[in-house]
Amino acid sequence: MKNELYYLYIFSLLHGSKTRVWAVSMGSEWNDSEEEKEFLRMNFEVARRKIHLERVFVIEKKELDNLLQTEAVKKQIEKRDTYYKTFIAFKEDIDAKKPNLYNQLGCGFLAFDDFAIADDRFVDNDIRGFIHTSKASYKDFNTKFTELRDFALVLDDTFVREYYKNKQQNNLNTVKQP
């Protein structure tokens, strides 16, 4: 499915969601395109309508600085509340305990209520994907998400403060004394 059409489907599914949306974002996939800005706005709109939205960012530990500097990710952390939940999981932790899970997550996905999955694919930096509506697909993606949640850490302001505090302390510890 082409980029514009895929976004149209995702926007429609976000608009029609009634109970919950859950998502897996792989790496720092967010960009400043108009489609991504609208996608982010609609995510916040879902939460404003008191529909639970959970997102797990899955990255390698070395990518954490880059992820935390991404404007769309910063906004999601700022908006974290009862209905908008952000989490982070590290590839290294997943690989250590469930080596196949990371690859099964593909390029990420979004699930809408109990009826549809948007399965992302990236081709030449353009997002494309597949929409799955079968119960078997839903069950499969739900299993992956549930297994991923075992590795998920709360990604909020406290996490960010602690990360930068620890990073600064580690830098100070590596400075040689005269």
Side-chain angles (χ1 to χ4, degrees):
M1 187 176 303
K2 293 288 262 181
N3 189 13
E4 300 82 16
L5 186 56
Y6 189 59
Y7 274 113
L8 181 62
Y9 276 106
I10 291 173
F11 294 166
S12 296
L13 289 165
L14 282 168
H15 182 71
S17 295
K18 302 287 185 216
T19 58
R20 77 180 195 138
V21 175
W22 36 278
V24 174
S25 294
M26 303 299 284
S28 298
E29 65 188 48
W30 297 84
N31 61 49
D32 288 334
S33 70
E34 291 306 312
E35 292 90 356
E36 285 288 304
K37 288 176 184 174
E38 180 62 10
F39 174 65
L40 184 59
R41 187 197 69 74
M42 290 189 77
N43 277 249
F44 296 147
E45 176 64 21
V46 165
R48 191 189 67 69
R49 293 185 350 237
K50 298 185 178 189
I51 296 167
H52 293 276
L53 191 148
E54 290 184 55
R55 174 166 284 106
V56 180
F57 295 97
V58 181
I59 63 168
E60 293 182 34
K61 290 180 180 178
K62 67 182 181 184
E63 298 173 317
L64 186 53
D65 274 336
N66 186 40
L67 181 80
L68 295 178
Q69 295 304 314
T70 304
E71 283 304 314
V73 174
K74 286 184 196 180
K75 288 177 182 174
Q76 290 177 76
I77 294 169
E78 289 171 15
K79 297 269 188 185
R80 190 178 205 287
D81 65 11
T82 301
Y83 292 98
Y84 199 97
K85 304 280 188 195
T86 48
F87 300 89
I88 189 165
F90 295 105
K91 179 185 185 301
E92 295 86 348
D93 298 337
I94 296 167
D95 286 346
K97 293 189 178 172
K98 288 214 176 223
N100 296 324
L101 179 58
Y102 182 82
N103 289 335
Q104 292 173 4
L105 299 173
C107 295
F109 55 86
L110 289 97
F112 307 90
D113 297 325
D114 295 333
F115 67 88
I117 306 286
D119 185 8
D120 296 345
R121 297 289 188 262
F122 289 90
V123 179
D124 298 327
N125 292 327
D126 282 337
I127 189 169
R128 296 191 171 104
F130 301 96
I131 304 297
H132 303 281
T133 58
S134 74
K135 290 207 181 289
S137 290
Y138 183 85
K139 183 178 178 184
D140 180 49
F141 281 91
N142 189 46
T143 298
K144 292 174 196 176
F145 190 77
T146 301
E147 290 178 8
L148 177 61
R149 286 296 310 274
D150 291 340
F151 299 95
L153 305 169
V154 171
L155 181 57
D156 61 4
D157 291 331
T158 302
F159 178 95
V160 173
R161 277 194 307 277
E162 287 298 313
Y163 169 73
Y164 284 119
K165 180 178 142 188
N166 291 335
K167 184 177 176 180
Q168 183 180 17
Q169 286 176 343
N170 287 337
N171 285 339
L172 291 175
N173 291 335
T174 61
V175 175
K176 293 185 180 181
Q177 297 295 322

